Amino acid sequence: MTFSVAGLCPDTGMMGCAISSSSIAVASRCAFVHSGVGVALSQNVTNPVLGPLALELLQEGVAVEQIPAVLAKADPHLQWRQLGVLDRQGNGVTFSGDRALGLNATARGRHCLAMGNLLANTRVPQAMVDAFELSRGHLAERLLLALEAGLEAGGELGPVHSAGLLMSAEPSWPVVDLRVDWHIAPLHELRLLWRQYQPQMQAYITRAQDPAKADSFGVPGDE
């Protein structure tokens, strides 16, 4: 019940993913990043263990194209799942088990991949890849544009209710972790969240790395 896109920016080293679903709080179960390692998406009858495990395998040096076969040994129900894994060089792999729900499809492009299940049509992932490849600017903007292109191309067969944007950069923690867990128009709300968060993103990084160099917190009493 999900469609998603993962991508990286070779100029900045940022990596991330955007995801939407008819299910509640999809990003809490299906989206994973590890700074300097890669991005993993695990969806469709989700097993949230698989995303972190895929990133551990990448960090250990397992080639991205071998990861689905390794995960099949860890999860006897992998045929119910969809997986997408992108490494820090932009190499990607996708997998759709033969028990994946409804119309399902995947697509891969330059520094990106996309996939979905219970889709309105099988062109949705390619629409996301095309939008990502043709876009420029901040990685978050490119991921949001790609996700919006997926919705415009048909998205899920039914309405979506949740969405998320997750990204890594130099810090070990995700520098962007925005979620709309339940809303009538989650992609619209996710874009509004990003517009509010973007001007503050670097300030939060600076506060973590060197508080003495941080700008004012902008709260009463902090002068």
Side-chain angles (χ1 to χ4, degrees), residues 2-7 18 41 43 82-86 92-96 104-109 111-117 119 122-132 143 146-147 150:
T2 304
F3 57 101
S4 59
V5 56
L41 291 156
Q43 61 195 46
Q82 276 192 313
L83 303 171
V85 185
L86 194 69
V93 66
T94 58
F95 168 83
S96 290
N104 57 85
T106 68
R108 290 164 52 189
H111 299 142
C112 65
L113 59 84
M115 57 185 184
N117 56 81
L119 296 170
T122 57
R123 300 185 300 276
V124 171
Q126 188 62 51
M128 291 190 282
V129 164
D130 292 345
F132 184 88
L143 291 170
L147 196 66

Side-chain angles (χ1 to χ4, degrees), residues 106-199:
T106 68
R108 290 164 52 189
R110 180 174 173 79
H111 299 142
C112 65
L113 59 84
M115 57 185 184
N117 56 81
L118 278 180
L119 296 170
N121 61 76
T122 57
R123 300 185 300 276
V124 171
Q126 188 62 51
M128 291 190 282
V129 164
D130 292 345
F132 184 88
E133 290 184 327
L134 292 172
S135 62
R136 297 294 181 269
H138 198 288
L139 179 62
E141 287 287 343
R142 299 180 66 193
L143 291 170
L144 288 172
L145 284 170
L147 196 66
E148 290 164 347
L151 183 64
E152 181 67 22
E156 276 195 47
L157 193 58
V160 294
H161 296 298
S162 68
L165 176 66
L166 182 66
M167 292 175 46
S168 69
E170 184 179 350
S172 60
W173 42 276
V175 296
V176 179
D177 188 357
L178 303 177
R179 287 170 35 186
V180 179
D181 285 343
W182 189 262
H183 196 274
I184 192 172
L187 273 66
H188 176 72
E189 287 296 301
L190 185 61
R191 179 166 284 282
L192 291 179
L193 279 175
W194 167 242
R195 288 175 182 169
Q196 291 294 320
Y197 185 74
Q198 182 180 14

Side-chain angles (χ1 to χ4, degrees), residues 196-213:
Q196 291 294 320
Y197 185 74
Q198 182 180 14
Q200 305 178 63
M201 183 180 74
Q202 186 56 51
Y204 283 114
I205 295 172
T206 303
R207 290 169 190 173
Q209 296 177 335
D210 191 347
K213 295 181 179 179

